[in-house]
Amino acid sequence: MFRFKTLVVLIAVVAMILPACQPAAPKAGLKCAPNCEYKDLVVGFLQTGSEGGWRAANTASFKETADQLGLKLKFYDSQNDLAKQVAGFNQFIQDPEVNVIVLAALETTGWEDVLKQAKDAGKIVVIEDRRIDASEDLYATYIGSDFAEEGRKSADEMCKLLEGMEGKNVWELVGNVGSSAAKDRGQGFREKMGACGIEVTKSQTANWSITEGKQVTEAWLKETQDVQGIFAQNDEMGLGAIEALKEAGLTPGVDVKILSVDATAGAFKAMLAGDLNVTVECNPLLAPQVYEAALKAANGETLPKWVPSQEGVFRSDDPNLQTVTDGRKY
Ligand code: AHR
């Protein structure tokens, strides 16, 4: 009897100790490490929505590159709704097939819990496009633009456009306010605008949209026409402002200088027409870098926590504007 009891206790103790002695269970879907290939990756991509030309190019980059590399992409459209995006994140955590989650975050905050759950489930998380405020050990890397630098470049360019003018009143059309793109572009612009005496006399969200960009500008124009420049945090809002100025009998690009961010096809068309003065580039073709980073992380490499994109500035007075426009992919 004593022997039998001792045996039972022994078996129980061994059963408790044994898992701790074994090598850690392979992370979900990453049994291939350190020799994983693109075909081993199943990527769940949480896109913000489809708010404009930049976003369309970003989505196309992810879909086309996945096909080229031979990896499986599960695409989730968050429809610019944070609750939907969080639900989609949870869906990918539960999905046993998904081993990489890519997030284009609608808001900077509120990600710690799902990121912890993703980590516990052994998923690799790569943040793309929009930075987030969360502990860096919860994701592999962030690949995206330096939005603050885009804001600083925008202020420098606006200073050049307004040079010699007595008044330097600038209206700011802001993106979706909780996003890193909107916060950081606004902050970067303010860091540099004082250098030439710019004053932001009006600032309001137009949610990245042409329609809202137009509506907000229309409402402002009814209050005053004392404006020398418009800083639109993306091209669509700038295009909306252009429509509003024209309908109010003003000449955009001349009476009011217009600068927007993204450098999409719509912006180049507006620059060729003389309506838009400058567009500051924000590169949406991020998928090759994101997938490469995910593969490296799958194979156990430690990555830098931020890989900023290389971006330029395009001006309507560039003599090569047509050639530059013809060479653009989006
Ligand atoms: O995060 C990038 C921003 O998101 C783009 O500037 C804007 O057009 C998009 O919706």
Side-chain angles (χ1 to χ4, degrees), residues 48 51-52 54-55 129-130 147 181 185 208 233-236 261-262 282:
T48 58
E51 63 269 17
W54 191 97
R55 195 58 57 191
D129 168 27
R130 309 265 181 90
F147 295 128
R185 283 176 190 160
W208 310 118
Q233 289 189 355
N234 82 341
D235 290 337
E236 272 77 14
V261 183
D262 276 352
C282 179

Side-chain angles (χ1 to χ4, degrees), residues 91-279:
Q91 198 176 296
F92 285 147
I93 293 172
Q94 300 306 323
D95 186 335
E97 218 195 346
V98 168
N99 45 34
V100 175
I101 298 176
V102 177
L103 171 67
L106 279 164
E107 306 264 331
T108 49
T109 53
W111 295 106
E112 292 269 338
D113 285 351
V114 278
L115 286 172
K116 277 184 195 144
Q117 287 164 32
K119 193 174 183 183
D120 292 346
K123 314 272 174 176
I124 291 162
V125 176
V126 178
I127 310 296
E128 81 106 18
D129 168 27
R130 309 265 181 90
R131 70 164 180 83
I132 55 169
D133 296 329
S135 172
E136 287 185 347
D137 63 337
L138 294 176
Y139 56 88
T141 185
Y142 159 52
I143 293 173
S145 307
D146 186 339
F147 295 128
E149 183 57 19
E150 290 169 358
R152 288 189 282 269
K153 283 182 196 165
S154 300
D156 288 346
E157 292 296 321
M158 188 59 89
C159 278
K160 289 183 205 158
L161 292 170
L162 303 185
E163 206 179 323
M165 289 191 191
E166 218 171 277
K168 293 189 181 183
N169 295 340
V170 170
W171 294 349
E172 180 187 40
L173 290 164
V174 180
N176 141 245
V177 283
S179 69
S180 60
K183 290 181 184 178
D184 297 355
R185 283 176 190 160
Q187 178 217 309
F189 192 83
R190 281 160 183 76
E191 280 171 27
K192 290 298 238 19
M193 68 183 196
C196 70
I198 287 174
E199 265 189 75
V200 175
T201 52
K202 290 191 184 294
S203 175
Q204 193 180 310
T205 186
N207 289 310
W208 310 118
S209 118
I210 296 192
T211 316
E212 289 186 53
K214 184 178 177 193
Q215 285 165 350
V216 171
T217 312
E218 263 169 8
W220 285 340
L221 285 167
K222 281 183 190 144
E223 290 168 28
T224 177
Q225 295 204 348
D226 185 9
V227 55
Q228 287 72 50
I230 292 182
F231 165 43
Q233 289 189 355
N234 82 341
D235 290 337
E236 272 77 14
M237 296 187 292
L239 297 176
I242 287 169
E243 283 183 30
L245 288 165
K246 284 185 178 169
E247 285 177 19
L250 295 165
T251 308
V254 179
D255 296 333
V256 183
K257 305 292 182 188
I258 320 278
L259 178 147
S260 60
V261 183
D262 276 352
T264 52
F268 280 89
K269 203 170 158 214
M271 284 201 296
L272 286 167
D275 294 336
L276 179 73
N277 301 91
V278 172
T279 184

